[in-house]
Amino acid sequence: MSIQYGIALALAYVLSVIAASAILIPLRNEASATANTDFAAKNTVTVVVLVVLGTLTVTLSGVLILAPILRWYVAGAEPTPDQAEAAIKLGGRQSVILAVTWAVCGGALLLLNLDQGAALLVPVVLGVVFGGAAAAGTGLVLAQHTLRPIMAAATRGAEPRLKVPGVFARLVLLWFLCSALPIAIIAAFVVLRSYGWLIEKSASLDVPVLMVSLAAVILGLPVMILTSRSISDPVGEVVDAMAEVERGNIVSYVGVYERSQIGRLQTGFNRMVTGLAERDRLHDLFGRHVGADVARRAIDEGASLSGDVVDAAVLYIDLVGSTKLAESRPPQEVAEVLNDFFRIVVGVVDEHRGLINKFEGDAALVVFGAPLWTDEPASAALAAARALGVQLSQLAAVDFGIGVSAGRVFSGDIGAENRYEYTVIGDAVNEAARLADLAKTSDRRILCSAAAIVRADTAEQKRWTGSYSTVLRGRSEATHVSAPVADP
């Protein structure tokens, strides 16, 4: 990057020499032949030496001011406030280097030709002033490709501070350099000749006009390309980052270091991505607390109290002896046992497309068929109960009871407008909870009601056998209870 940066400054200096020559050479050609001969004999070598020395000076100076910045940038380290400040001021420092180099070289040339008179010195002064300004401006455009990622790293997370021309100002400047300025110079030649100032009235303007036209063509193309790239490159970065976001990579970030319309566009994109990341994080946390289906339903329907009465199946699972477990083991160990227990519950429920409506201490209420409709909610609930019985029996530290029921339930949000939760309410919920208590003393630790068996498909019904009828705690009517068929 140091070499690339040095070459950019050297190229800016050389291009500014060509631009200054577009003024200096035509005006010098209109001086007397003797004066031109004396000037050429005395200054040809000097001009070449000054151009070479100036080019080497700006190149080496650019490498030197960039070196300390590259130490932390290449290492990928976070810059200190002083290092970030130095990086932000890099563009101004390079402009000073280019302008001062031009001033020193131009001053040396003027000192060597004080005896030549105003007719020869005025073009030199004009060329130095124009060349210095052209060098500083061209340097900023040429070095922008190298400086952009450095500035982005130095200003990451902060508001851009570098003031640069906006898009409109750049286009106007492009028009001025490539169109208005050459035309103005040609018009100046015509005015100077008409009054005999610096150019004799009898002199031909063919060569001056030709030189200015060639300079406009030679310099116009690179200036137009560089100006276009100063706009298209950062816009292209935003477009590429938007494509990454579209593919799901919401950690995309574009560098921002200039205070212009482009800088505001980049800042706006970064803020948008930050908002998307925050939204996804909240969506993920929301989904983990209430379930992905409930979260999706809340996002689709908005913050309103609503619900429906639907056919659903309910599975209730409760641990046995959790109080004794908490008394005999350290809290951290109890938490680990519960996490292992609920990890299995969550995995099985997700596999059978159920919703864990809530965790109640050492118990869980699971719903099938709400809030998302499914074809066979009772079959899914019964299959999930059997799978849970197999997997939970492998945990030596826990015992459990599982109850399954089905029927018409209210499925929706209850509470207040500013604080509510999704839940299911109905007789099937109460029946499943009572069956889970009763199942804690059964052989397979799983019981279901006839309502669930009736609503299941034939294949699932064959996996259950009727056991007995009983009046569950808190109910007035008897419930026909079934248990899974023992594996052969």
Side-chain angles (χ1 to χ4, degrees):
M1 293 184 71
S2 294
I3 297 175
Q4 184 180 9
Y5 183 63
I7 292 175
L9 297 189
L11 184 58
Y13 189 83
V14 172
L15 288 176
S16 64
V17 171
I18 297 175
S21 300
I23 296 177
L24 182 61
I25 293 177
L27 292 178
R28 290 285 301 115
N29 283 341
E30 302 310 320
S32 65
T34 303
N36 276 329
T37 302
D38 293 342
F39 183 86
K42 184 178 179 180
N43 294 286
T44 299
V45 176
T46 302
V47 171
V48 172
V49 171
L50 289 176
V51 171
V52 173
L53 289 177
T55 304
L56 292 175
T57 299
V58 297
T59 302
L60 294 176
S61 299
V63 172
L64 290 176
I65 64 173
L66 186 65
I69 296 172
L70 287 182
R71 291 193 187 99
W72 61 262
Y73 175 76
V74 175
E78 189 73 19
T80 64
D82 291 339
Q83 290 172 333
E85 188 71 18
I88 294 171
K89 293 181 178 179
L90 196 58
R93 289 176 178 176
Q94 77 171 38
S95 297
V96 171
I97 290 172
L98 288 166
V100 169
T101 302
W102 257 97
V104 171
C105 293
L109 188 62
L110 287 173
L111 289 176
L112 294 174
N113 294 275
L114 289 177
D115 58 338
Q116 295 293 316
L120 296 175
L121 295 181
V122 170
V124 175
V125 173
L126 292 176
V128 170
V129 173
F130 179 75
T138 307
L140 286 175
V141 177
L142 284 173
Q144 200 174 93
H145 183 71
T146 304
L147 296 182
R148 185 179 293 117
I150 297 175
M151 294 294 186
T155 58
R156 184 181 295 272
E159 290 294 325
R161 294 173 47 192
L162 185 63
K163 292 184 178 180
V164 298
V167 175
F168 178 76
R170 295 181 202 186
L171 295 177
V172 171
L173 182 61
L174 175 64
W175 166 82
F176 176 77
L177 293 176
C178 299
S179 179
L181 184 60
I183 294 174
I185 293 174
I186 293 174
F189 289 157
V190 173
V191 172
L192 291 174
R193 189 187 65 170
S194 63
Y195 288 96
W197 298 339
L198 301 179
I199 301 176
E200 297 180 359
K201 293 184 178 181
S202 59
S204 173
L205 293 179
D206 294 344
V207 174
V209 171
L210 178 61
M211 292 295 297
V212 173
S213 301
L214 289 176
V217 172
I218 295 173
L219 295 177
L221 180 60
V223 170
M224 181 186 68
I225 293 174
L226 293 171
T227 304
S228 301
R229 287 190 60 182
S230 72
I231 300 172
S232 63
D233 285 356
V235 172
E237 291 177 3
V238 174
V239 171
D240 293 340
M242 289 178 62
E244 290 294 321
V245 172
E246 188 177 4
R247 287 192 287 267
N249 181 17
I250 59 173
V251 296
S252 299
Y253 177 88
V254 293
V256 185
Y257 71 92
E258 63 178 54
R259 296 176 62 181
S260 65
Q261 294 98 327
I262 294 175
R264 290 197 295 271
L265 172 66
Q266 295 167 322
T267 302
F269 173 82
N270 290 336
R271 289 175 178 170
M272 180 196 72
V273 171
T274 301
L276 290 175
E278 181 68 12
R279 187 199 67 176
D280 283 3
R281 189 177 72 87
L282 293 176
H283 189 185
D284 179 63
L285 289 175
F286 185 40
R288 290 174 187 269
H289 280 80
V290 303
D293 294 335
V294 174
R296 190 178 302 110
R297 176 179 179 271
I299 292 173
D300 293 340
E301 297 184 4
S304 62
L305 296 172
S306 61
D308 299 299
V309 176
V310 297
D311 279 316
V314 180
L315 182 153
Y316 196 90
I317 180 169
D318 191 10
L319 280 178
V320 177
S322 59
T323 303
K324 184 178 179 180
L325 181 68
E327 291 177 352
S328 60
R329 300 193 182 191
Q332 183 63 35
E333 188 174 339
V334 175
E336 292 177 358
V337 171
L338 291 176
N339 285 336
D340 291 338
F341 169 72
F342 287 124
R343 189 177 297 112
I344 293 176
V345 173
V346 171
V348 171
V349 170
D350 286 346
E351 183 179 351
H352 291 83
R353 299 189 63 189
L355 166 70
I356 298 179
N357 180 233
K358 64 185 68 176
F359 291 116
E360 299 176 341
D362 56 357
L365 174 63
V366 184
V367 185
F368 296 83
L372 296 182
W373 180 86
T374 56
D375 292 333
E376 300 284 348
S379 299
L382 294 171
R386 292 186 294 101
L388 284 172
V390 174
Q391 296 190 32
L392 291 176
S393 63
Q394 300 174 3
L395 295 179
V398 300
D399 196 4
F400 58 91
I402 299 176
V404 181
S405 184
R408 301 282 287 176
V409 299
F410 171 82
S411 167
D413 300 320
I414 63 170
E417 288 290 348
N418 59 345
R419 182 66 175 88
Y420 62 85
E421 69 172 354
Y422 174 84
T423 190
V424 288
I425 300 174
D427 184 62
V429 180
N430 299 326
E431 189 173 57
R434 300 294 181 262
L435 286 170
D437 284 337
L438 185 62
K440 294 176 182 178
T441 59
S442 68
D443 293 336
R444 299 295 301 276
R445 300 292 194 268
I446 305 172
L447 294 175
C448 75
S449 67
I453 295 295
V454 169
R455 289 172 171 80
D457 58 33
T458 304
E460 187 60 38
Q461 289 178 357
K462 292 180 179 179
R463 295 180 176 272
W464 296 78
T465 181
S467 298
Y468 55 90
S469 294
T470 184
V471 178
L472 299 174
R473 180 170 57 88
R475 296 172 62 83
S476 58
E477 297 182 359
T479 298
H480 186 72
V481 180
S482 298
V485 176
D487 294 331

